[in-house]
Amino acid sequence: MSERPFVFCHMGTSLDGKIMGRYMSLDHGGNPFYRIAFGENPYYHHQGWISGRVTTDDNFTNHRKPNLDPNAAPVPEGDYVARKTGMYYISVDPRGVLGWESHVLRYHDTVADVVEVLTEQASNSYKAFLRRLGISYIVCGEKRLDMELMLQKMADLFGCDTLMLGGGAALNWSFIQAGLCDEVSVVISPAADGSTKTQTLFMEKPGLSDDTPVAFDLLDVQRCEGDCVWLRYGVPSARSRELA
């Protein structure tokens, strides 16, 4: 069994802590968020990034419905590894509802192979749909996501030793509260829109997390292009969990 991957949460925010919203339409010049994690000479060298269902639907699957065959033959039990590559998009989709059209996605200049993270709630027809498209999947939990098992399977089955946590807010906070996020990286844009309807960097979700506070250790502060500020924090609770 491989060691758990190092997990860093890397997010871009507004001055008022939002991770999405109208402020994103403003152009400040450059893209430090992308450069730090995905550029030609990135600070972080990772093999994939983890996103929740809503983030995936908003950015990649665009709320399409999956093309399911209700009469699909039963698929084998367990996980399905279609292929191994150098970069993965790890989509947390417990019930299996995302409408993929390909096993590959492109994010700016980054090309990644999709890995779906399911629970036992996902139907046979959805697993068969993923197999038709050549999309790998791992089953992590019965009714709720087993985050630790997910990380372990990404290490054991796909050889990942570093993974990026990329939202949304509930997923970010769940990993941090579980002691499974080692570092937080935040690129703050010099902009805000004042909305009260958009997600912040971290948000609790009933059944997954609560509002128990977590302390962080400041590691570094840098001024970046476009008057952005890049903050890096260590997460002591993750280190404490590993030593327990």
Side-chain angles (χ1 to χ4, degrees):
M1 181 180 293
S2 304
E3 291 186 6
R4 171 178 76 77
F6 175 86
V7 177
F8 67 100
C9 178
H10 181 56
M11 300 294 293
T13 75
S14 63
L15 275 175
D16 52 351
K18 304 298 172 49
I19 61 173
M20 58 189 299
R22 297 182 64 189
Y23 81 92
M24 300 178 75
S25 65
L26 300 176
D27 183 7
H28 309 291
N31 188 351
F33 172 83
Y34 185 83
R35 171 179 59 79
I36 288 165
F38 298 98
E40 290 185 8
N41 297 294
Y43 176 82
Y44 293 106
H45 296 273
H46 59 100
Q47 296 84 44
W49 73 106
I50 306 165
S51 291
R53 180 192 60 78
V54 174
T55 299
T56 299
D57 240 353
D58 287 344
N59 292 280
F60 297 112
T61 52
N62 301 309
H63 304 275
R64 289 187 300 267
K65 300 296 183 184
N67 182 20
L68 303 183
D69 177 2
N71 300 312
V75 303
E77 292 291 328
D79 308 314
Y80 172 63
V81 180
R83 70 193 59 77
K84 296 183 180 181
T85 65
M87 181 62 72
Y88 300 98
Y89 180 81
I90 304 154
S91 171
V92 177
D93 183 19
R95 291 180 293 121
V97 298
L98 292 170
W100 295 102
E101 293 183 331
S102 170
H103 67 84
V104 174
L105 63 77
R106 179 179 292 274
Y107 173 58
H108 296 290
D109 295 328
T110 301
V111 178
D113 217 63
V114 175
V115 177
E116 274 270 299
V117 182
L118 308 173
T119 65
E120 297 289 351
Q121 294 184 93
S123 66
N124 178 80
S125 59
Y126 190 76
K127 295 175 184 176
F129 160 73
L130 295 178
R131 285 172 175 257
R132 289 201 310 271
L133 291 175
I135 294 177
S136 300
Y137 61 80
I138 53 178
V139 181
C140 303
E142 184 177 355
K143 291 185 177 180
R144 57 181 294 177
L145 174 68
D146 186 330
M147 295 177 285
E148 190 168 8
L149 179 60
M150 178 189 73
L151 295 177
Q152 194 62 57
K153 286 189 175 186
M154 288 307 302
D156 293 342
L157 299 178
F158 297 94
C160 297
D161 58 38
T162 304
L163 292 171
M164 172 182 145
L165 184 59
L171 190 68
N172 291 345
W173 188 239
S174 296
F175 268 78
I176 287 173
Q177 279 212 324
L180 296 173
C181 180
D182 304 285
E183 186 169 312
V184 174
S185 166
V186 184
V187 178
I188 303 175
S189 296
D193 57 31
S195 174
T196 60
K197 300 177 182 179
T198 49
Q199 296 185 48
T200 57
L201 179 60
F202 304 129
M203 296 180 71
E204 65 168 311
K205 184 173 183 178
L208 288 178
S209 59
D210 56 32
D211 62 354
T212 302
V214 173
F216 302 89
D217 293 335
L218 182 63
L219 300 177
D220 192 33
V221 180
Q222 291 186 33
R223 179 173 179 169
C224 299
E225 58 269 32
D227 287 338
C228 294
V229 177
W230 177 27
L231 307 176
R232 288 177 49 236
Y233 289 92
V235 189
S237 59
R239 294 194 293 273
S240 299
R241 187 179 189 278
E242 290 176 359
L243 295 173

